[in-house]
Amino acid sequence: MANPQILICDDEEGIRESLKLVLGDHYSLIAVDSGDMAIKTLSHSKDIKVMLLDIKMPKTNGLDVLQQIKKKFPHVKIIMVTGYKSVETAAEAANLGASGYIVKPFKSQEILDTVKKNMEA
């Protein structure tokens, strides 16, 4: 059986690369740098089960992308990744359907545990 696929959406190449290093041995990864690309990727790939989504991105806010994805692809578990720890933003993300919330800089084990939990859900 193929490894479950994870979509990484972050405008910072360094974060995408860090997430690839952490998750690459365990899962198939697709990395994109914008919400628009994430939505296009989800339209073409039915095997993506979990997505890591940055909140602060230049063109489209991650929370807006979260709303769009939950409407079109309700089966995808979305874990928000942000450099800004805010109770309000975490609550809003949860209300919009996010399955998790990770603050940068993140620990490798935190990423692995959160993704694993969402893969099994």
Side-chain angles (χ1 to χ4, degrees), residues 53-71:
L53 176 61
D54 187 18
I55 292 180
K56 302 270 190 215
M57 294 187 289
K59 289 182 188 162
T60 313
N61 178 306
L63 293 174
D64 295 335
V65 175
L66 169 64
Q67 274 185 294
Q68 291 176 47
I69 290 171
K70 283 314 237 177
K71 279 183 194 155

Side-chain angles (χ1 to χ4, degrees), residues 30-83:
I30 300 171
V32 297
D33 63 2
S34 71
D36 292 341
M37 282 301 299
I39 291 168
K40 281 183 189 151
T41 302
L42 285 167
S43 298
H44 299 294
S45 179
K46 304 297 176 223
D47 296 328
I48 295 170
K49 187 168 180 182
V50 172
M51 176 178 179
L52 294 159
L53 176 61
D54 187 18
I55 292 180
K56 302 270 190 215
M57 294 187 289
K59 289 182 188 162
T60 313
N61 178 306
L63 293 174
D64 295 335
V65 175
L66 169 64
Q67 274 185 294
Q68 291 176 47
I69 290 171
K70 283 314 237 177
K71 279 183 194 155
K72 294 179 183 175
F73 313 99
H75 66 283
V76 176
K77 304 277 187 204
I78 301 175
I79 301 162
M80 304 307 292
V81 182
T82 182

Side-chain angles (χ1 to χ4, degrees), residues 4 27 49-50 77 112-121:
Y27 304 100
K49 187 168 180 182
V50 172
K77 304 277 187 204
L112 288 167
D113 291 346
T114 304
V115 167
K116 183 178 183 202
K117 183 176 77 178
N118 280 281
M119 281 291 183
E120 293 168 352

Side-chain angles (χ1 to χ4, degrees), residues 92-111:
E92 185 178 356
N95 288 337
L96 293 173
S99 302
Y101 190 87
I102 293 173
V103 179
K104 301 174 198 171
F106 45 77
K107 292 184 171 47
S108 298
Q109 196 58 52
E110 179 184 20
I111 295 287

